[in-house]
Amino acid sequence: MHTTTVGIIGGGPAGLLLARLLHNAGIDSVVLELRDRAYVEQRQRAGILEQATVDALRAAGAGARMDAEGIPHDGIELRFGRRAHRIDFPSLTGGRSVMVYAQTEVVKDLVALQLAEGDRLLFGAEVTAIEGADSDTPVVRYVHEGREQTLSCDYVVGCDGFHGVTRDSVPEALRTTYERTYPYSWLGVLAEAPPVYDELVYVHSERGFALASMRSATVSRLYLQVPNGTDPADWSSERIWDELDARFALDGDPGWKLERGRVTSKAVLPMRSHVTEPMRYGRVFLAGDAAHIVPPTGAKGLNLAVADVVVLARALARWRETGGTELLDAYSDTCLRRVWRAEHFSYAMTTMLHTGPAQSPFETKLQLSQLERIATSPHAAAELAENYTGLPLPR
């Protein structure tokens, strides 16, 4: 049997950042990741980092390449009624902004640091069970390189996502699930095409939602609202570009087109909200997608995961320094306050910008009224900007 202070299940950004923060605090850990390294470093996920996430990566010593290659963004553009309106973040938030830096790159940076400086990181480690979650020494059972092994821990942290095993270690009778499934999906596209915008553009149109984002100066990340159950194969590259042009059209520039390039990947992303409470049972903690999922409209998923592990790392450091568990005991409540704020923001952005399949003209008018208010009221714009750039992390 192997032993460690903190067993971390999941080697995505949450698990890897937690391992880094614990290493910096002098707390040993082991990270068990189901997939191989190549898969982990290539899976496409989020690309927008809140101010607090940027600050946390820098403080952890993982910000050098982000600062060199990331793209700072001081605002977003909202398009509705075939008109454009920019939301300026720094002027509305006291100087906060966001960074475009793909989750794949964050993971690469954290993997490199963990392998060079940190404790054990095992790829291809399949966790089969967590035993004794409510005991003083929970045990993680896993299979690695064909051998069944056990890991005895003081604490276990599940960063293994919605389909991971950790969430099930909280007895069903003691956990509550809140969820919502939306009646539409996103067709997400990566294209070898330079972005034509300096910042993200969110579109409400009679044809459905669209979003123009980026991964670099030469790669665009683009999204289209599509019906649930859509097959990406039904969308040719020409059809994708034509639909993007139609949704991004402005009355003041009817001939404007996106710059087209080779589509290198496309996938349909379901839209849902999900929260599991509590985020702790005994000595097992949930973080990131293991505890909560948000629709991607608000760019909150990765940022919420970072907030979770920053809070947890501080609590574990306090426990190590003083033996006190007050921060650990407060972990679930502390994180859930921020989680529900982000859930509300993501829900509001999603329902304001998407056209439901059974949506009435009355509901469309309500959406346009809210967008108009954001465009004309500094208070409404500030509310959006403060939530988008991210609320300060709990202390």
Side-chain angles (χ1 to χ4, degrees), residues 92-349:
L92 294 165
T93 63
R96 297 206 308 275
S97 59
V98 298
M99 179 83 76
V100 174
Y101 190 63
Q103 178 173 314
T104 50
E105 306 310 309
V106 173
V107 168
K108 289 174 187 175
D109 296 342
L110 290 169
V111 166
L113 282 170
Q114 185 72 7
L115 294 177
E117 304 174 9
D119 297 305
R120 283 185 295 163
L121 165 58
L122 303 182
F123 292 104
E126 181 182 3
V127 174
T128 57
I130 301 169
E131 299 174 352
D134 57 349
S135 72
D136 290 340
T137 54
V139 172
V140 179
R141 294 191 176 275
Y142 65 100
V143 178
H144 184 243
E145 296 180 342
R147 294 176 51 227
E148 294 185 2
Q149 303 188 50
T150 56
L151 179 66
S152 178
C153 316
D154 290 308
Y155 292 99
V156 175
V157 183
C159 303
D160 50 344
F162 180 80
H163 297 291
V165 302
T166 315
R167 193 160 55 91
D168 289 335
S169 68
V170 181
E172 188 172 355
L174 299 180
R175 71 177 190 254
T176 303
T177 297
Y178 305 90
E179 56 189 338
R180 177 189 177 96
T181 300
Y182 296 84
Y184 33 71
S185 300
W186 278 9
L187 175 65
V189 173
L190 270 179
E192 293 175 345
V196 295
Y197 305 110
D198 295 330
E199 296 170 336
L200 273 68
V201 182
Y202 289 78
V203 178
H204 175 286
S205 83
E206 65 278 2
R207 302 176 69 95
F209 170 81
L211 170 61
S213 183
M214 63 201 69
R215 287 294 178 264
S216 71
T218 58
V219 176
S220 291
R221 182 68 164 155
L222 303 154
Y223 301 94
L224 286 166
Q225 176 188 339
V226 294
N228 288 342
T230 292
D231 184 348
D234 292 338
W235 283 78
S236 67
S237 294
E238 183 178 12
R239 183 184 178 190
I240 289 169
W241 289 114
D242 287 347
E243 188 62 26
L244 285 165
D245 283 340
R247 296 191 192 186
F248 278 90
L250 293 171
D251 282 341
D253 190 5
W256 181 89
K257 303 283 186 185
L258 285 161
E259 185 164 345
R260 301 190 175 195
R262 186 172 72 92
V263 172
T264 57
S265 74
K266 54 187 176 182
V268 171
L269 315 173
M271 306 282 284
R272 58 180 172 155
S273 301
H274 177 102
V275 180
T276 294
E277 296 188 7
M279 292 173 59
R280 175 195 183 177
Y281 172 67
R283 291 197 169 215
V284 175
F285 296 82
L286 305 179
D289 285 0
H292 43 73
I293 293 172
V294 292
T297 325
K300 292 292 160 225
L302 170 60
N303 295 293
L304 275 181
V306 168
D308 290 346
V309 299
V310 168
V311 170
L312 185 53
R314 288 174 182 162
L316 288 165
R318 176 73 62 85
W319 165 75
R320 170 54 64 87
E321 292 165 5
T322 69
T325 63
E326 64 277 5
L327 294 183
L328 289 170
D329 295 338
Y331 167 77
S332 183
D333 288 341
T334 300
C335 290
L336 284 169
R337 283 192 292 271
R338 185 184 180 90
V339 166
W340 280 111
R341 177 88 296 277
E343 290 283 355
H344 180 269
F345 176 68
S346 300
Y347 166 83
M349 287 283 285

Side-chain angles (χ1 to χ4, degrees), residues 16-87:
L16 291 167
L17 179 58
L18 177 60
R20 178 66 183 176
L21 294 171
L22 295 179
H23 171 79
N24 291 347
I27 301 172
D28 62 295
S29 67
V30 174
V31 180
L32 304 174
E33 165 55 42
L34 174 63
R35 303 287 191 167
D36 61 32
R37 181 177 180 179
Y39 181 93
V40 170
E41 293 185 339
Q42 292 171 9
R43 54 187 169 194
Q44 293 294 327
R45 293 292 190 273
I48 306 297
L49 307 184
E50 293 177 359
Q51 184 70 64
T53 298
V54 170
D55 295 342
L57 290 170
R58 288 171 178 159
R65 195 163 69 93
M66 172 188 70
D67 285 330
E69 301 179 14
I71 307 171
H73 277 198
D74 287 338
I76 59 172
E77 183 179 289
L78 297 176
R79 290 194 176 187
F80 59 96
R82 299 174 66 92
R83 295 177 290 123
H85 179 81
R86 182 174 182 270
I87 305 295

